[in-house]
Amino acid sequence: MVLLTLLAVVAIGIVRLRNLFAVVILGAVYSFLIATVFLVLDAPDVAMTEAAVGAGIATVMMLAVLHLTKTDESRPRQPQIFPLFVSAVTGAALIYGTLDLPPFGEADTPVHTHVGPYYLSQSIPDTGVPNVVASVLASYRGWDTLGEVVVIFTAAIGVLLLLRRAQRPTRQATRSRRDAP
Amino acid sequence: MRLDVILRVIAKLLLPFTVVFGFYVHFHAETSPGGGFQAGVVIGAGVILYAIIFGLDEAIKIVPVRVVELLVSVGTLIFLGVGIVGWLLGGNYLDYYALPIADPIISQEVGIHLVEIGVLMAVTGAVIAIFYAFAGRGRSR
């Protein structure tokens, strides 16, 4: 509960602030908080990923982007009613959706009665891997992980295609400048 | 750049531990949280730390752009390749039992390790490549 309150406070801070540097840092704080929430919910794998990617790499990337732009967000021309409306409606729909969810941790929910017990009981006889998260990711659902890797591959290729082109000539320019004197 | 002695010393101290921790997260994923994805991010973060403290040129000297790009594509190809090998040997796609190893448990372990190494390489490469792209762009100003 404390963590969720802190999350809400940080989110409001991110919305209110205009200084993008502070927003990036608060984004990292948000990621660490949500990682702690995952840890409290006994999901150390997800927590580790969130802390490393969300709080670490994403923050560094955003700072690198910030280096290319201004550090202050310009004020919107008119009050932003429509985005507020969209997020309010989405939030309300999500809260409405949670009303139908079974109580947290209940044993006979569809999630825990479908393939979950099979993974839990068969992971060691099938694959010899005690960490069920690892065996599900790499073996049972290897196809999904392959998709994930292809997404990362595509992201890297996309960024390289977009940003490298502008970099090539400047690198040659600096080299010739260095060679000139 | 002379006033940041503390940063440089600390970064140098941290770097080997960061990279070793990355490999620990990778190879210990069987029994503890972690895996190729998290390990790739940690190792990538080590290289990015080096690039931030010592400059992009120094980092590119150690981990050249070419190596980074190769990591991304070779990692993805390893994952795809493991699937195709299982396919060619008569199993389903990504079926590790079809790998030519007698013990089914060992064949699972081999398959999982190969796939995870592919993930590790792809993620490490992608993280570093994206950082290089942004940081290199910033220099052109």
Side-chain angles (χ1 to χ4, degrees):
Chain A
M1 202 63 217
V2 177
L3 286 172
L4 293 181
T5 317
L6 278 174
L7 274 180
V9 171
V10 172
I12 291 171
I14 290 175
V15 174
R16 300 291 303 168
L17 275 174
R18 293 253 160 243
N19 186 327
L20 292 178
F21 186 76
V23 168
V24 170
I25 299 303
L26 275 183
V29 172
Y30 189 91
S31 280
F32 265 123
L33 283 173
I34 201 89
T36 320
V37 172
F38 289 147
L39 205 58
V40 170
L41 294 174
D42 286 337
D45 281 270
V46 195
M48 194 180 218
T49 314
E50 178 63 38
V53 179
I57 297 297
T59 308
V60 173
M61 298 288 176
M62 294 301 271
L63 287 178
V65 175
L66 214 56
H67 188 57
L68 304 177
T69 59
K70 285 183 278 183
T71 45
D72 280 300
E73 191 183 351
S74 53
R75 297 210 156 268
R77 289 209 192 100
Q78 67 258 30
Q80 309 260 301
I81 301 295
F82 185 66
L84 184 67
F85 175 73
V86 169
S87 40
V89 168
T90 315
L94 288 174
I95 290 172
Y96 176 70
T98 60
L99 295 181
D100 262 353
L101 284 181
F104 177 74
E106 206 172 25
D108 56 350
T109 58
V111 182
H112 299 303
T113 51
H114 188 48
V115 287
Y118 176 83
Y119 290 155
L120 289 177
S121 58
Q122 295 301 307
S123 176
I124 289 186
D126 276 356
T127 64
V129 176
N131 182 5
V132 183
V133 178
S135 70
V136 169
L137 277 180
S139 180
Y140 292 116
R141 309 292 307 167
W143 180 245
D144 293 351
T145 311
L146 174 63
E148 218 172 281
V149 171
V150 172
V151 166
I152 290 163
F153 173 75
T154 320
I157 296 294
V159 169
L160 287 181
L161 280 178
L162 285 172
L163 293 185
R164 267 259 306 256
R165 195 184 290 163
Q167 194 191 338
R168 273 259 172 77
T170 48
R171 209 191 261 166
Q172 278 162 2
T174 47
R175 199 172 292 153
S176 56
R177 223 182 295 148
R178 233 179 266 153
D179 292 345
Chain B
M1 287 298 267
R2 291 214 170 66
L3 292 171
D4 50 7
V5 179
I6 297 174
L7 279 180
R8 282 161 180 259
V9 171
I10 298 294
K12 270 193 181 161
L13 274 177
L14 270 177
L15 266 170
F17 290 105
T18 313
V19 176
V20 170
F21 179 68
F23 282 113
Y24 166 80
V25 167
H26 178 83
F27 289 109
H28 211 257
E30 248 176 52
T31 43
S32 67
F37 191 87
Q38 290 91 332
V41 173
V42 170
I43 295 173
V47 176
I48 291 179
L49 176 70
Y50 190 84
I52 289 176
I53 303 289
F54 296 93
L56 192 61
D57 291 323
E58 290 295 312
I60 287 179
K61 254 184 231 161
I62 293 178
V63 190
V65 179
R66 197 156 180 79
V67 170
V68 172
E69 285 164 12
L70 273 178
L71 273 179
V72 183
S73 33
V74 170
T76 316
L77 280 178
I78 287 179
F79 205 136
L80 288 167
V82 171
I84 290 174
V85 166
W87 206 5
L88 290 179
L89 292 174
N92 288 323
Y93 193 73
L94 284 174
D95 184 357
Y96 307 142
Y97 288 130
L99 296 177
I101 298 158
D103 191 346
I105 298 279
I106 305 284
S107 67
Q108 277 286 335
E109 300 231 324
V110 169
I112 289 174
H113 274 293
L114 284 175
V115 158
E116 288 278 338
I117 284 171
V119 176
L120 173 77
M121 290 170 74
V123 172
T124 314
V127 164
I128 301 174
I130 295 175
F131 179 78
Y132 277 1
F134 279 119
R137 182 88 175 195
R139 257 187 334 181
S140 61
R141 287 220 159 174

